[in-house]
Amino acid sequence: MKGIVGFEIEITSIQGAAKMSQNRNETDYKSIVAELEKSHKQEEVQVAQWMREQRKELFK
């Protein structure tokens, strides 16, 4: 097909970023943590604990 060109890219590094509602306002963030803490799933409770640790100032 005209106009389509294949190419390869060599990956030399990978960078990750945690995206756990850090752009939410304080009220939303606290609500998210509270709902996760109510869960019966251990993974969700652990996520809530991690989120608390990231923004300790909200949970004093």
Side-chain angles (χ1 to χ4, degrees), residues 22-36:
Q22 77 273 14
N23 59 339
R24 299 289 186 132
N25 64 45
E26 291 180 7
T27 304
D28 288 348
Y29 195 89
K30 285 181 173 182
S31 295
I32 292 166
V33 171
E35 289 301 315
L36 287 169

Side-chain angles (χ1 to χ4, degrees), residues 31-48:
S31 295
I32 292 166
V33 171
E35 289 301 315
L36 287 169
E37 288 174 335
K38 292 179 188 176
S39 176
H40 298 293
K41 296 179 181 177
Q42 185 60 31
E43 297 85 1
E44 292 180 2
V45 174
Q46 289 173 337
V47 168

Side-chain angles (χ1 to χ4, degrees), residues 12-25:
T12 58
S13 69
I14 296 176
Q15 298 178 1
K19 298 286 286 174
M20 302 297 278
S21 300
Q22 77 273 14
N23 59 339
R24 299 289 186 132
N25 64 45

